[in-house]
Amino acid sequence: MEGLNYINGQWRPSRSNRWFEKRNPADTRDLIGRFPLSSADDIAEAVAAARQAYNHWRLVPAPRRGELVRKAGDLLVQRKEELARAMTREMGKPLVESRGDVQEAIDTAYYAASEGRRLFGYNTPSELPNKVNLSFRMPVGVCGIITAWNFPIAVPSWKIFPALVCGNTLVWKPSEDSPHCANLLAEILAEAGIPPGVFNVVHGDAEAGEALVRHPEVRLIAFTGSTAVGRRIASICGELNKKCSLEMGGKNPLIILPDAPLDLALEGVLWGAFGTTGQRCTATSRLILHRDIAEVFLQQLCERVHTLRVGNGLEEGVQVGPIINERQLQRIESYVQIGREEGARLLVGGYRLTDGEYAHGFFFAPTIFTDVTSQMRIFREEIFGPVLSVTVVDSLEEAIAVANESDYGLSSSIYTRDITAAFRAIRDLEAGITYVNAPTIGAEAHMPFGGIKATGNGHREGGWTVFDIFTEWKTVYIDYSGRLQRAQIDTDVVS
Ligand code: UN1
């Protein structure tokens, strides 16, 4: 299959006619397709189309824009199963999770569509008579969207749907690891009636991404990906004075206290650490166990990890899919080596799976290290794979302190039946998200999503807060007094 860029309502190859291949990570003999390895020229063409389309799109009433996004949601509902299968084939996660990914985009579409009838501004009294103060949300202009592959439809939809409802036009550079899903979403937006040029997709690698960030007509960059790349984007946006919203890495802690419902906690750790093969920015990557229950819990956990079914996500019963690519597989292997050298104790896993059904894919056994201290790199650095680090502590205070010994601050979790402990954790865990008696994953579309410290730069996607990213405030004063009224000076208006 030949995948193309989607620019100004047309499907086209890159101008340079360079390509990259995308293969199924569960079986690399399965070629998903070739896609354009685009350059700055393709970006320029897409941005020009988006700039042109903006003149019209910004004037379409927001409720009408919302209706088109709602239509996209309807089409996602109709094509959910097909999209989920394409997603699993392209990036590996089990089918049930891919269905969830599409569902998250559906939820986002309907939420964003309804926001077309709100997009509330404020009106407040003026300090002067016969004068009205109003404020409106205005679109930002042409926005650049750059996204990761692990939620190939859901996470882009968090940005794309609200951005469109707000009246922006877009150029999206999806991950090289999920180009086909990006094109399926583009097809849906086209079918929903989003006009040519309003939404554009340009495939490629860092070259295309950087051209998008640097393009002078692009007013905003919304990015999901690694902290290293996000920081680079932020520095360019700083230099060029662009608005920039970043969703970056995580190293999410899950605390279990002795009074916790332990069976529930066990299910939570398995899902949080090994769901999506640990390849989520919200994955549970640090388990912080109270000493009183540590030994028993770890024994049960290891027993369950042995029973996890690793394999091709399209097969019934598979719980853990492949790693996305060879580079990432090597990275995970190197972290296992680092963990061993640092003196952590490997309890389970730690190796590639290569035999039989695994022979043609990128598979890694679910892995747990214990005796992990906060100085170790496996405690501090985002691995983005099925590797869980365990640290044993003696109190709630120590658990929270250990949890906070991280550069990141995306998600966090505590299992306890003690309401005081739960509220202390909610107050003291340094993270954008805290779960109580649930693992670190499972964000819902209508709530703010994002993190603090090295995870974010102060913005929140999802819910109502994403509309702050994709709009600029216009403040309006209307003076109907018929005379010059000087604010702060003509203050004697009482008598
Ligand atoms: C991500 O990993 O980039 O809360 C997003 C969750 C998902 C979203 C994850 N709903 O884990």
PDB file of all heavy atoms in Angstrom, residues 6 11 72-73 75-76 79 83 105 152-158 160-161 172 179-192 194 199 201:
ATOM      1  N   TYR A   6      -1.701  14.347   3.029  1.00  0.00           N
ATOM      2  CA  TYR A   6      -3.026  14.903   2.745  1.00  0.00           C
ATOM      3  C   TYR A   6      -2.911  16.432   2.866  1.00  0.00           C
ATOM      4  O   TYR A   6      -2.794  16.967   3.966  1.00  0.00           O
ATOM      5  CB  TYR A   6      -4.041  14.343   3.746  1.00  0.00           C
ATOM      6  CG  TYR A   6      -5.445  14.826   3.533  1.00  0.00           C
ATOM      7  CD1 TYR A   6      -6.168  14.455   2.402  1.00  0.00           C
ATOM      8  CD2 TYR A   6      -6.045  15.666   4.473  1.00  0.00           C
ATOM      9  CE1 TYR A   6      -7.470  14.911   2.215  1.00  0.00           C
ATOM     10  CE2 TYR A   6      -7.350  16.116   4.286  1.00  0.00           C
ATOM     11  CZ  TYR A   6      -8.053  15.732   3.149  1.00  0.00           C
ATOM     12  OH  TYR A   6      -9.335  16.186   2.966  1.00  0.00           O
ATOM     13  N   TRP A  11      -4.596  13.935  -1.829  1.00  0.00           N
ATOM     14  CA  TRP A  11      -3.586  12.962  -1.400  1.00  0.00           C
ATOM     15  C   TRP A  11      -2.401  13.056  -2.351  1.00  0.00           C
ATOM     16  O   TRP A  11      -2.571  12.919  -3.559  1.00  0.00           O
ATOM     17  CB  TRP A  11      -4.173  11.552  -1.405  1.00  0.00           C
ATOM     18  CG  TRP A  11      -5.265  11.385  -0.381  1.00  0.00           C
ATOM     19  CD1 TRP A  11      -6.610  11.512  -0.597  1.00  0.00           C
ATOM     20  CD2 TRP A  11      -5.104  11.111   1.005  1.00  0.00           C
ATOM     21  NE1 TRP A  11      -7.293  11.316   0.582  1.00  0.00           N
ATOM     22  CE2 TRP A  11      -6.391  11.060   1.581  1.00  0.00           C
ATOM     23  CE3 TRP A  11      -3.998  10.887   1.834  1.00  0.00           C
ATOM     24  CZ2 TRP A  11      -6.604  10.808   2.932  1.00  0.00           C
ATOM     25  CZ3 TRP A  11      -4.206  10.629   3.191  1.00  0.00           C
ATOM     26  CH2 TRP A  11      -5.498  10.595   3.723  1.00  0.00           C
ATOM     27  N   ALA A  72     -17.471  13.564  12.418  1.00  0.00           N
ATOM     28  CA  ALA A  72     -16.248  12.739  12.485  1.00  0.00           C
ATOM     29  C   ALA A  72     -16.394  11.699  13.600  1.00  0.00           C
ATOM     30  O   ALA A  72     -16.001  10.535  13.433  1.00  0.00           O
ATOM     31  CB  ALA A  72     -15.023  13.614  12.713  1.00  0.00           C
ATOM     32  N   GLY A  73     -16.984  12.113  14.724  1.00  0.00           N
ATOM     33  CA  GLY A  73     -17.222  11.168  15.825  1.00  0.00           C
ATOM     34  C   GLY A  73     -18.145  10.043  15.375  1.00  0.00           C
ATOM     35  O   GLY A  73     -17.900   8.864  15.672  1.00  0.00           O
ATOM     36  N   LEU A  75     -18.543   8.900  12.370  1.00  0.00           N
ATOM     37  CA  LEU A  75     -17.811   8.020  11.448  1.00  0.00           C
ATOM     38  C   LEU A  75     -16.841   7.115  12.213  1.00  0.00           C
ATOM     39  O   LEU A  75     -16.642   5.953  11.851  1.00  0.00           O
ATOM     40  CB  LEU A  75     -17.055   8.851  10.404  1.00  0.00           C
ATOM     41  CG  LEU A  75     -17.961   9.598   9.422  1.00  0.00           C
ATOM     42  CD1 LEU A  75     -17.163  10.633   8.630  1.00  0.00           C
ATOM     43  CD2 LEU A  75     -18.638   8.625   8.471  1.00  0.00           C
ATOM     44  N   LEU A  76     -16.262   7.659  13.285  1.00  0.00           N
ATOM     45  CA  LEU A  76     -15.392   6.822  14.127  1.00  0.00           C
ATOM     46  C   LEU A  76     -16.197   5.688  14.755  1.00  0.00           C
ATOM     47  O   LEU A  76     -15.718   4.555  14.869  1.00  0.00           O
ATOM     48  CB  LEU A  76     -14.729   7.668  15.222  1.00  0.00           C
ATOM     49  CG  LEU A  76     -13.571   8.570  14.782  1.00  0.00           C
ATOM     50  CD1 LEU A  76     -13.245   9.589  15.882  1.00  0.00           C
ATOM     51  CD2 LEU A  76     -12.323   7.751  14.470  1.00  0.00           C
ATOM     52  N   ARG A  79     -16.780   3.093  12.081  1.00  0.00           N
ATOM     53  CA  ARG A  79     -15.576   2.379  11.612  1.00  0.00           C
ATOM     54  C   ARG A  79     -14.708   1.889  12.764  1.00  0.00           C
ATOM     55  O   ARG A  79     -13.552   1.534  12.559  1.00  0.00           O
ATOM     56  CB  ARG A  79     -14.782   3.300  10.674  1.00  0.00           C
ATOM     57  CG  ARG A  79     -15.532   3.596   9.389  1.00  0.00           C
ATOM     58  CD  ARG A  79     -14.775   4.535   8.478  1.00  0.00           C
ATOM     59  NE  ARG A  79     -13.524   3.975   7.981  1.00  0.00           N
ATOM     60  CZ  ARG A  79     -12.712   4.610   7.139  1.00  0.00           C
ATOM     61  NH1 ARG A  79     -13.036   5.824   6.698  1.00  0.00           N
ATOM     62  NH2 ARG A  79     -11.579   4.056   6.740  1.00  0.00           N
ATOM     63  N   LEU A  83     -10.911   0.407  12.374  1.00  0.00           N
ATOM     64  CA  LEU A  83      -9.792   1.245  12.829  1.00  0.00           C
ATOM     65  C   LEU A  83      -8.985   0.540  13.910  1.00  0.00           C
ATOM     66  O   LEU A  83      -7.753   0.591  13.917  1.00  0.00           O
ATOM     67  CB  LEU A  83     -10.306   2.578  13.370  1.00  0.00           C
ATOM     68  CG  LEU A  83     -10.839   3.551  12.335  1.00  0.00           C
ATOM     69  CD1 LEU A  83     -11.494   4.735  13.010  1.00  0.00           C
ATOM     70  CD2 LEU A  83      -9.731   4.031  11.431  1.00  0.00           C
ATOM     71  N   ALA A 105     -11.171   8.723  21.191  1.00  0.00           N
ATOM     72  CA  ALA A 105     -11.326   9.750  20.147  1.00  0.00           C
ATOM     73  C   ALA A 105     -12.809  10.084  19.934  1.00  0.00           C
ATOM     74  O   ALA A 105     -13.166  11.251  19.717  1.00  0.00           O
ATOM     75  CB  ALA A 105     -10.694   9.270  18.842  1.00  0.00           C
ATOM     76  N   PRO A 152      -2.453   6.273  18.612  1.00  0.00           N
ATOM     77  CA  PRO A 152      -2.345   6.893  17.290  1.00  0.00           C
ATOM     78  C   PRO A 152      -3.579   7.677  16.873  1.00  0.00           C
ATOM     79  O   PRO A 152      -3.491   8.550  16.008  1.00  0.00           O
ATOM     80  CB  PRO A 152      -2.117   5.729  16.340  1.00  0.00           C
ATOM     81  CG  PRO A 152      -2.189   4.496  17.125  1.00  0.00           C
ATOM     82  CD  PRO A 152      -2.457   4.804  18.559  1.00  0.00           C
ATOM     83  N   ILE A 153      -4.738   7.388  17.461  1.00  0.00           N
ATOM     84  CA  ILE A 153      -5.945   8.135  17.102  1.00  0.00           C
ATOM     85  C   ILE A 153      -6.397   8.968  18.302  1.00  0.00           C
ATOM     86  O   ILE A 153      -6.752  10.135  18.161  1.00  0.00           O
ATOM     87  CB  ILE A 153      -7.050   7.172  16.612  1.00  0.00           C
ATOM     88  CG1 ILE A 153      -6.515   6.462  15.362  1.00  0.00           C
ATOM     89  CG2 ILE A 153      -8.371   7.911  16.362  1.00  0.00           C
ATOM     90  CD1 ILE A 153      -7.446   6.156  14.260  1.00  0.00           C
ATOM     91  N   ALA A 154      -6.352   8.396  19.501  1.00  0.00           N
ATOM     92  CA  ALA A 154      -6.868   9.105  20.681  1.00  0.00           C
ATOM     93  C   ALA A 154      -6.102  10.402  20.959  1.00  0.00           C
ATOM     94  O   ALA A 154      -6.702  11.479  21.038  1.00  0.00           O
ATOM     95  CB  ALA A 154      -6.815   8.203  21.909  1.00  0.00           C
ATOM     96  N   VAL A 155      -4.792  10.298  21.094  1.00  0.00           N
ATOM     97  CA  VAL A 155      -4.034  11.489  21.502  1.00  0.00           C
ATOM     98  C   VAL A 155      -4.068  12.595  20.430  1.00  0.00           C
ATOM     99  O   VAL A 155      -4.304  13.763  20.768  1.00  0.00           O
ATOM    100  CB  VAL A 155      -2.610  11.114  21.967  1.00  0.00           C
ATOM    101  CG1 VAL A 155      -1.730  12.345  22.086  1.00  0.00           C
ATOM    102  CG2 VAL A 155      -2.683  10.396  23.325  1.00  0.00           C
ATOM    103  N   PRO A 156      -3.905  12.266  19.142  1.00  0.00           N
ATOM    104  CA  PRO A 156      -4.091  13.337  18.140  1.00  0.00           C
ATOM    105  C   PRO A 156      -5.478  13.971  18.227  1.00  0.00           C
ATOM    106  O   PRO A 156      -5.632  15.183  18.060  1.00  0.00           O
ATOM    107  CB  PRO A 156      -3.894  12.606  16.811  1.00  0.00           C
ATOM    108  CG  PRO A 156      -3.016  11.441  17.156  1.00  0.00           C
ATOM    109  CD  PRO A 156      -3.404  11.026  18.539  1.00  0.00           C
ATOM    110  N   SER A 157      -6.492  13.145  18.507  1.00  0.00           N
ATOM    111  CA  SER A 157      -7.858  13.698  18.560  1.00  0.00           C
ATOM    112  C   SER A 157      -8.006  14.692  19.707  1.00  0.00           C
ATOM    113  O   SER A 157      -8.791  15.634  19.611  1.00  0.00           O
ATOM    114  CB  SER A 157      -8.891  12.569  18.703  1.00  0.00           C
ATOM    115  OG  SER A 157      -9.021  12.157  20.051  1.00  0.00           O
ATOM    116  N   TRP A 158      -7.251  14.502  20.810  1.00  0.00           N
ATOM    117  CA  TRP A 158      -7.309  15.456  21.922  1.00  0.00           C
ATOM    118  C   TRP A 158      -6.931  16.854  21.463  1.00  0.00           C
ATOM    119  O   TRP A 158      -7.343  17.845  22.061  1.00  0.00           O
ATOM    120  CB  TRP A 158      -6.313  15.077  23.022  1.00  0.00           C
ATOM    121  CG  TRP A 158      -6.579  13.840  23.784  1.00  0.00           C
ATOM    122  CD1 TRP A 158      -7.645  13.002  23.666  1.00  0.00           C
ATOM    123  CD2 TRP A 158      -5.743  13.296  24.799  1.00  0.00           C
ATOM    124  NE1 TRP A 158      -7.506  11.965  24.558  1.00  0.00           N
ATOM    125  CE2 TRP A 158      -6.353  12.123  25.257  1.00  0.00           C
ATOM    126  CE3 TRP A 158      -4.532  13.695  25.364  1.00  0.00           C
ATOM    127  CZ2 TRP A 158      -5.795  11.335  26.266  1.00  0.00           C
ATOM    128  CZ3 TRP A 158      -3.976  12.910  26.355  1.00  0.00           C
ATOM    129  CH2 TRP A 158      -4.606  11.743  26.797  1.00  0.00           C
ATOM    130  N   ILE A 160      -6.630  17.721  17.826  1.00  0.00           N
ATOM    131  CA  ILE A 160      -7.203  18.088  16.528  1.00  0.00           C
ATOM    132  C   ILE A 160      -8.657  18.542  16.662  1.00  0.00           C
ATOM    133  O   ILE A 160      -9.050  19.584  16.122  1.00  0.00           O
ATOM    134  CB  ILE A 160      -7.076  16.899  15.544  1.00  0.00           C
ATOM    135  CG1 ILE A 160      -5.597  16.700  15.173  1.00  0.00           C
ATOM    136  CG2 ILE A 160      -7.945  17.098  14.315  1.00  0.00           C
ATOM    137  CD1 ILE A 160      -5.286  15.361  14.514  1.00  0.00           C
ATOM    138  N   PHE A 161      -9.485  17.792  17.384  1.00  0.00           N
ATOM    139  CA  PHE A 161     -10.908  18.130  17.442  1.00  0.00           C
ATOM    140  C   PHE A 161     -11.142  19.480  18.137  1.00  0.00           C
ATOM    141  O   PHE A 161     -11.836  20.342  17.577  1.00  0.00           O
ATOM    142  CB  PHE A 161     -11.720  17.005  18.089  1.00  0.00           C
ATOM    143  CG  PHE A 161     -11.733  15.714  17.285  1.00  0.00           C
ATOM    144  CD1 PHE A 161     -11.993  14.496  17.896  1.00  0.00           C
ATOM    145  CD2 PHE A 161     -11.506  15.718  15.919  1.00  0.00           C
ATOM    146  CE1 PHE A 161     -12.021  13.310  17.168  1.00  0.00           C
ATOM    147  CE2 PHE A 161     -11.523  14.543  15.174  1.00  0.00           C
ATOM    148  CZ  PHE A 161     -11.768  13.331  15.809  1.00  0.00           C
ATOM    149  N   TRP A 172      -0.637  18.461  10.601  1.00  0.00           N
ATOM    150  CA  TRP A 172      -0.304  17.388  11.550  1.00  0.00           C
ATOM    151  C   TRP A 172       0.846  16.566  11.015  1.00  0.00           C
ATOM    152  O   TRP A 172       0.786  16.063   9.894  1.00  0.00           O
ATOM    153  CB  TRP A 172      -1.545  16.506  11.739  1.00  0.00           C
ATOM    154  CG  TRP A 172      -1.373  15.320  12.642  1.00  0.00           C
ATOM    155  CD1 TRP A 172      -0.464  15.160  13.649  1.00  0.00           C
ATOM    156  CD2 TRP A 172      -2.140  14.110  12.610  1.00  0.00           C
ATOM    157  NE1 TRP A 172      -0.632  13.938  14.256  1.00  0.00           N
ATOM    158  CE2 TRP A 172      -1.650  13.267  13.646  1.00  0.00           C
ATOM    159  CE3 TRP A 172      -3.210  13.668  11.824  1.00  0.00           C
ATOM    160  CZ2 TRP A 172      -2.183  12.010  13.900  1.00  0.00           C
ATOM    161  CZ3 TRP A 172      -3.740  12.401  12.079  1.00  0.00           C
ATOM    162  CH2 TRP A 172      -3.235  11.591  13.103  1.00  0.00           C
ATOM    163  N   PRO A 179       1.753   5.939  10.729  1.00  0.00           N
ATOM    164  CA  PRO A 179       1.271   6.794   9.633  1.00  0.00           C
ATOM    165  C   PRO A 179      -0.072   6.351   9.055  1.00  0.00           C
ATOM    166  O   PRO A 179      -0.868   7.199   8.622  1.00  0.00           O
ATOM    167  CB  PRO A 179       2.381   6.676   8.580  1.00  0.00           C
ATOM    168  CG  PRO A 179       3.044   5.363   8.860  1.00  0.00           C
ATOM    169  CD  PRO A 179       2.973   5.196  10.360  1.00  0.00           C
ATOM    170  N   HIS A 180      -0.315   5.049   9.063  1.00  0.00           N
ATOM    171  CA  HIS A 180      -1.562   4.564   8.449  1.00  0.00           C
ATOM    172  C   HIS A 180      -2.775   5.019   9.270  1.00  0.00           C
ATOM    173  O   HIS A 180      -3.780   5.481   8.708  1.00  0.00           O
ATOM    174  CB  HIS A 180      -1.506   3.039   8.325  1.00  0.00           C
ATOM    175  CG  HIS A 180      -2.734   2.450   7.718  1.00  0.00           C
ATOM    176  ND1 HIS A 180      -3.288   2.923   6.541  1.00  0.00           N
ATOM    177  CD2 HIS A 180      -3.532   1.421   8.126  1.00  0.00           C
ATOM    178  CE1 HIS A 180      -4.376   2.215   6.263  1.00  0.00           C
ATOM    179  NE2 HIS A 180      -4.548   1.305   7.202  1.00  0.00           N
ATOM    180  N   CYS A 181      -2.663   4.913  10.592  1.00  0.00           N
ATOM    181  CA  CYS A 181      -3.766   5.394  11.447  1.00  0.00           C
ATOM    182  C   CYS A 181      -4.020   6.881  11.204  1.00  0.00           C
ATOM    183  O   CYS A 181      -5.168   7.333  11.193  1.00  0.00           O
ATOM    184  CB  CYS A 181      -3.435   5.189  12.924  1.00  0.00           C
ATOM    185  SG  CYS A 181      -3.628   3.476  13.448  1.00  0.00           S
ATOM    186  N   ALA A 182      -2.949   7.629  11.018  1.00  0.00           N
ATOM    187  CA  ALA A 182      -3.107   9.073  10.764  1.00  0.00           C
ATOM    188  C   ALA A 182      -3.922   9.285   9.491  1.00  0.00           C
ATOM    189  O   ALA A 182      -4.828  10.126   9.442  1.00  0.00           O
ATOM    190  CB  ALA A 182      -1.730   9.733  10.647  1.00  0.00           C
ATOM    191  N   ASN A 183      -3.626   8.496   8.464  1.00  0.00           N
ATOM    192  CA  ASN A 183      -4.363   8.674   7.213  1.00  0.00           C
ATOM    193  C   ASN A 183      -5.820   8.240   7.341  1.00  0.00           C
ATOM    194  O   ASN A 183      -6.709   8.817   6.703  1.00  0.00           O
ATOM    195  CB  ASN A 183      -3.662   7.929   6.083  1.00  0.00           C
ATOM    196  CG  ASN A 183      -2.468   8.727   5.555  1.00  0.00           C
ATOM    197  OD1 ASN A 183      -2.167   9.798   6.074  1.00  0.00           O
ATOM    198  ND2 ASN A 183      -1.795   8.209   4.556  1.00  0.00           N
ATOM    199  N   LEU A 184      -6.064   7.236   8.181  1.00  0.00           N
ATOM    200  CA  LEU A 184      -7.462   6.841   8.402  1.00  0.00           C
ATOM    201  C   LEU A 184      -8.235   7.981   9.071  1.00  0.00           C
ATOM    202  O   LEU A 184      -9.378   8.276   8.724  1.00  0.00           O
ATOM    203  CB  LEU A 184      -7.524   5.570   9.251  1.00  0.00           C
ATOM    204  CG  LEU A 184      -7.001   4.300   8.556  1.00  0.00           C
ATOM    205  CD1 LEU A 184      -6.947   3.139   9.541  1.00  0.00           C
ATOM    206  CD2 LEU A 184      -7.881   3.941   7.364  1.00  0.00           C
ATOM    207  N   LEU A 185      -7.582   8.645  10.019  1.00  0.00           N
ATOM    208  CA  LEU A 185      -8.249   9.777  10.674  1.00  0.00           C
ATOM    209  C   LEU A 185      -8.461  10.926   9.671  1.00  0.00           C
ATOM    210  O   LEU A 185      -9.507  11.581   9.678  1.00  0.00           O
ATOM    211  CB  LEU A 185      -7.429  10.244  11.892  1.00  0.00           C
ATOM    212  CG  LEU A 185      -8.072  11.299  12.771  1.00  0.00           C
ATOM    213  CD1 LEU A 185      -9.445  10.867  13.282  1.00  0.00           C
ATOM    214  CD2 LEU A 185      -7.175  11.630  13.972  1.00  0.00           C
ATOM    215  N   ALA A 186      -7.484  11.126   8.807  1.00  0.00           N
ATOM    216  CA  ALA A 186      -7.634  12.170   7.780  1.00  0.00           C
ATOM    217  C   ALA A 186      -8.813  11.854   6.860  1.00  0.00           C
ATOM    218  O   ALA A 186      -9.622  12.732   6.524  1.00  0.00           O
ATOM    219  CB  ALA A 186      -6.347  12.298   6.973  1.00  0.00           C
ATOM    220  N   GLU A 187      -8.935  10.584   6.475  1.00  0.00           N
ATOM    221  CA  GLU A 187     -10.071  10.158   5.633  1.00  0.00           C
ATOM    222  C   GLU A 187     -11.394  10.504   6.307  1.00  0.00           C
ATOM    223  O   GLU A 187     -12.330  10.997   5.667  1.00  0.00           O
ATOM    224  CB  GLU A 187     -10.043   8.628   5.504  1.00  0.00           C
ATOM    225  CG  GLU A 187      -9.444   8.079   4.262  1.00  0.00           C
ATOM    226  CD  GLU A 187      -9.413   6.544   4.350  1.00  0.00           C
ATOM    227  OE1 GLU A 187     -10.419   5.880   4.731  1.00  0.00           O
ATOM    228  OE2 GLU A 187      -8.347   6.021   4.060  1.00  0.00           O
ATOM    229  N   ILE A 188     -11.445  10.240   7.608  1.00  0.00           N
ATOM    230  CA  ILE A 188     -12.678  10.473   8.359  1.00  0.00           C
ATOM    231  C   ILE A 188     -12.997  11.965   8.419  1.00  0.00           C
ATOM    232  O   ILE A 188     -14.141  12.381   8.217  1.00  0.00           O
ATOM    233  CB  ILE A 188     -12.548   9.829   9.756  1.00  0.00           C
ATOM    234  CG1 ILE A 188     -12.784   8.328   9.600  1.00  0.00           C
ATOM    235  CG2 ILE A 188     -13.506  10.454  10.768  1.00  0.00           C
ATOM    236  CD1 ILE A 188     -12.575   7.518  10.826  1.00  0.00           C
ATOM    237  N   LEU A 189     -11.974  12.772   8.656  1.00  0.00           N
ATOM    238  CA  LEU A 189     -12.226  14.219   8.719  1.00  0.00           C
ATOM    239  C   LEU A 189     -12.664  14.754   7.357  1.00  0.00           C
ATOM    240  O   LEU A 189     -13.537  15.621   7.269  1.00  0.00           O
ATOM    241  CB  LEU A 189     -10.978  14.945   9.229  1.00  0.00           C
ATOM    242  CG  LEU A 189     -10.774  14.791  10.740  1.00  0.00           C
ATOM    243  CD1 LEU A 189      -9.365  15.182  11.152  1.00  0.00           C
ATOM    244  CD2 LEU A 189     -11.780  15.626  11.526  1.00  0.00           C
ATOM    245  N   ALA A 190     -12.078  14.204   6.301  1.00  0.00           N
ATOM    246  CA  ALA A 190     -12.476  14.640   4.953  1.00  0.00           C
ATOM    247  C   ALA A 190     -13.932  14.255   4.706  1.00  0.00           C
ATOM    248  O   ALA A 190     -14.743  15.071   4.247  1.00  0.00           O
ATOM    249  CB  ALA A 190     -11.559  14.002   3.916  1.00  0.00           C
ATOM    250  N   GLU A 191     -14.278  13.012   5.056  1.00  0.00           N
ATOM    251  CA  GLU A 191     -15.647  12.541   4.831  1.00  0.00           C
ATOM    252  C   GLU A 191     -16.652  13.308   5.688  1.00  0.00           C
ATOM    253  O   GLU A 191     -17.797  13.528   5.281  1.00  0.00           O
ATOM    254  CB  GLU A 191     -15.720  11.038   5.121  1.00  0.00           C
ATOM    255  CG  GLU A 191     -16.964  10.411   4.523  1.00  0.00           C
ATOM    256  CD  GLU A 191     -17.112   8.937   4.878  1.00  0.00           C
ATOM    257  OE1 GLU A 191     -16.069   8.269   5.109  1.00  0.00           O
ATOM    258  OE2 GLU A 191     -18.261   8.469   4.929  1.00  0.00           O
ATOM    259  N   ALA A 192     -16.206  13.733   6.858  1.00  0.00           N
ATOM    260  CA  ALA A 192     -17.096  14.497   7.738  1.00  0.00           C
ATOM    261  C   ALA A 192     -17.390  15.891   7.176  1.00  0.00           C
ATOM    262  O   ALA A 192     -18.293  16.570   7.650  1.00  0.00           O
ATOM    263  CB  ALA A 192     -16.474  14.616   9.127  1.00  0.00           C
ATOM    264  N   ILE A 194     -14.866  18.402   6.669  1.00  0.00           N
ATOM    265  CA  ILE A 194     -13.887  19.446   6.995  1.00  0.00           C
ATOM    266  C   ILE A 194     -13.307  19.946   5.659  1.00  0.00           C
ATOM    267  O   ILE A 194     -12.786  19.150   4.871  1.00  0.00           O
ATOM    268  CB  ILE A 194     -12.749  18.882   7.899  1.00  0.00           C
ATOM    269  CG1 ILE A 194     -13.304  18.314   9.220  1.00  0.00           C
ATOM    270  CG2 ILE A 194     -11.677  19.930   8.146  1.00  0.00           C
ATOM    271  CD1 ILE A 194     -13.878  19.311  10.189  1.00  0.00           C
ATOM    272  N   PHE A 199      -7.430  20.950   7.418  1.00  0.00           N
ATOM    273  CA  PHE A 199      -6.721  19.887   8.134  1.00  0.00           C
ATOM    274  C   PHE A 199      -5.781  19.200   7.145  1.00  0.00           C
ATOM    275  O   PHE A 199      -6.217  18.730   6.097  1.00  0.00           O
ATOM    276  CB  PHE A 199      -7.746  18.891   8.681  1.00  0.00           C
ATOM    277  CG  PHE A 199      -7.132  17.676   9.277  1.00  0.00           C
ATOM    278  CD1 PHE A 199      -6.549  17.723  10.530  1.00  0.00           C
ATOM    279  CD2 PHE A 199      -7.108  16.478   8.572  1.00  0.00           C
ATOM    280  CE1 PHE A 199      -5.963  16.595  11.087  1.00  0.00           C
ATOM    281  CE2 PHE A 199      -6.530  15.337   9.124  1.00  0.00           C
ATOM    282  CZ  PHE A 199      -5.958  15.410  10.385  1.00  0.00           C
ATOM    283  N   VAL A 201      -2.184  16.575   6.603  1.00  0.00           N
ATOM    284  CA  VAL A 201      -1.264  15.609   7.213  1.00  0.00           C
ATOM    285  C   VAL A 201       0.010  15.558   6.379  1.00  0.00           C
ATOM    286  O   VAL A 201      -0.054  15.368   5.160  1.00  0.00           O
ATOM    287  CB  VAL A 201      -1.878  14.187   7.249  1.00  0.00           C
ATOM    288  CG1 VAL A 201      -0.908  13.204   7.902  1.00  0.00           C
ATOM    289  CG2 VAL A 201      -3.204  14.186   7.988  1.00  0.00           C
TER     290      VAL A 201
END
